[in-house]
Amino acid sequence: MSRPIILGIVGDSAAGKTTLTRGIAQVLGEENVTTICTDDYHKYDRTQRAQIGITALHPDCNHLDIMQQHLSLLRSGQPILKPNYSHKTGTFEAPTYIKPSKFVIVEGLLGYSTRVARDAYDVKVYLAPPETLRAQWKVKRDTQKRGYTEEQVLEELQKREPDSEAYIRPQRSWSDLVVSFCPSTTDSNGQLDVKLVLRPTIPHPELTRVVGEDSPTQSAIRLGLDRDMGKPVDVLEIDGHATKDQVVHLERFICDELPALSNVCNPTSDTELGKVSGTTGEMIQSYPLAMTQLLIVYHMLKATKAI
Ligand SMILES: Nc1ncnc2c1ncn2[C@@H]1O[C@H](COP(=O)(O)OP(=O)(O)OP(=O)(O)O)[C@@H](O)[C@H]1O
Ligand SMILES: O=C(CO)[C@H](O)[C@H](O)COP(=O)(O)O
């Protein structure tokens, strides 16, 4: 039996990991995907964390040894007995027996923090929205879904900042793809832009053939060269106001490179690409999201050919 393909989605709290995970699972077909959230590997419940004075972002607040063991087991196709942390109650519940499907998406705060964990992934994504947007998303989500007041969330964000800097943000350097959704600077009807940093750690589609490295700065889809954390990278930017024609052109090119993608991005079929419900229930639909999902799914399907 061939092993599952493992996608990592790492980023700070409310960076959009669960939302992106849901969207990709929808595109690949829920029946083909096992999703794991590494919040389940917290060592202490909400009350204990407050008593000890430790944040959920600190490595010592998480069973990273068990997390990495489980990732290795999943990668070799074996089942795990996963702990369960409830965000509703802030306590632990009974563990769940999990057998990996064809694809496994592992999302969470500290997924790239150990070498053994990093070795388990086929594709590593890091989510990095601007901090102001993340704070807005966290306030909304934690007040609607996790029983916090706005003041508590803002205070918690301040308390967490040193751990975010020390333990979360450095993990960006291990990712193959950095995804930053951000508010548009142009009139885009409220749609977010996306900036995708493509590291040469995995082979990306030859986008220069379709976008061109010297794309004019005013075009809605741009490709350029840059440095990220000191290393050279390609950067693909898609504005929220990109038109369907512009996006379909890029989609077709990526799909032609990998025939396995034909079901995912056939522009005439009713594709799931670019649609997802956020963790607070709102419908999110955009071309920048569609292209982000398509690139990630491209890498996951490509990885199936390599095993
Ligand atoms: N691409 C997006 N476009 C618009 N809104 C988004 C997007 N991603 C996330 N959000 C908003 O941010 C909120 C938080 O996102 P989400 O729950 O996915 O974050 P998370 O990284 O999984 O958080 P945590 O690690 O704390 O569980 C969502 O409820 C949604 O409102
Ligand atoms: O940073 C987080 C990732 O989701 C959470 O705050 C952490 O998991 C603790 O959860 P809760 O605040 O629900 O007790």
Side-chain angles (χ1 to χ4, degrees):
M1 190 196 89
S2 62
R3 65 168 182 83
I5 296 302
I6 319 270
L7 167 69
I9 301 188
V10 165
D12 213 330
S13 181
K17 301 180 295 292
T18 309
T19 305
L20 186 60
T21 298
R22 275 188 188 172
I24 290 169
Q26 245 166 260
V27 171
L28 289 168
E30 310 272 357
E31 67 286 4
N32 298 316
V33 182
T34 301
T35 62
I36 307 275
C37 175
T38 64
D39 292 353
D40 289 326
Y41 295 87
H42 289 335
K43 205 179 275 181
Y44 307 113
D45 66 23
R46 204 179 281 171
T47 311
Q48 290 170 327
R49 288 196 310 271
Q51 282 165 350
I52 299 169
I54 193 169
T55 85
L57 312 188
H58 199 290
D60 292 348
C61 193
N62 293 273
H63 289 296
L64 295 181
D65 49 354
I66 306 299
M67 179 197 78
Q68 68 179 22
Q69 257 178 33
H70 282 185
L71 291 185
S72 303
L73 286 168
L74 292 168
R75 183 178 168 99
S76 62
Q78 296 178 70
I80 58 167
L81 198 57
K82 186 184 66 56
N84 270 321
Y85 179 77
S86 164
H87 287 289
K88 224 182 218 160
T89 60
T91 60
F92 294 99
E93 293 178 347
T96 316
Y97 180 87
I98 292 189
K99 228 170 161 244
S101 316
K102 188 171 172 194
F103 300 103
V104 176
I105 309 181
V106 180
E107 56 115 339
L109 298 167
L110 291 164
Y112 306 152
S113 58
T114 73
R115 190 190 52 77
V116 174
R118 292 194 291 276
D119 284 350
Y121 303 98
D122 294 279
V123 185
K124 296 194 279 299
V125 172
Y126 183 83
L127 274 177
E131 284 292 285
T132 44
L133 183 61
R134 184 173 75 83
Q136 282 169 25
W137 284 352
K138 185 159 173 70
V139 166
K140 183 169 153 223
R141 200 270 322 273
D142 284 2
T143 52
Q144 287 186 15
K145 290 281 173 189
R146 297 187 179 176
Y148 291 91
T149 64
E150 178 167 349
E151 293 68 36
Q152 283 172 325
V153 181
L154 294 174
E155 196 185 313
E156 179 70 14
L157 276 168
Q158 261 197 342
K159 222 187 286 168
R160 286 175 171 214
E161 177 49 30
D163 286 348
S164 289
E165 178 163 3
Y167 306 115
I168 306 297
R169 296 201 278 271
Q171 295 178 97
R172 176 184 178 124
S173 68
W174 299 110
S175 62
D176 304 305
L177 254 153
V178 182
V179 177
S180 302
F181 288 103
C182 49
S184 190
T185 47
T186 53
D187 180 20
S188 63
N189 238 340
Q191 296 286 0
L192 297 175
D193 296 346
V194 74
K195 177 174 167 182
L196 301 167
V197 170
L198 314 176
R199 273 190 225 296
T201 44
I202 51 173
H204 300 282
E206 287 283 338
L207 298 172
T208 40
R209 288 209 220 133
V210 69
V211 188
E213 268 167 319
D214 52 358
S215 33
T217 49
Q218 72 276 17
S219 62
I221 302 179
R222 301 173 297 281
L223 185 66
L225 292 170
D226 205 344
R227 295 185 88 82
D228 188 82
M229 299 187 94
K231 304 257 173 69
V233 293
D234 285 333
V235 176
L236 177 65
E237 292 175 281
I238 300 148
D239 289 347
H241 64 81
T243 64
K244 183 165 186 196
D245 282 354
Q246 290 165 327
V247 170
V248 164
H249 185 55
L250 187 57
E251 258 185 33
R252 282 227 179 90
F253 176 80
I254 297 175
C255 291
D256 286 351
E257 263 209 30
L258 194 64
L261 273 171
S262 58
N263 287 344
V264 173
C265 57
N266 181 354
T268 54
S269 75
D270 185 19
T271 153
E272 292 296 329
L273 224 48
K275 302 175 199 158
V276 67
S277 72
T279 52
T280 48
E282 78 278 35
M283 198 54 205
I284 302 167
Q285 178 164 20
S286 79
Y287 294 133
L289 177 65
M291 286 310 308
T292 304
Q293 291 174 341
L294 180 59
L295 254 183
I296 295 171
V297 169
Y298 166 93
H299 283 297
M300 293 177 82
L301 294 179
K302 200 143 184 222
T304 63
K305 311 272 169 229
I307 57 173

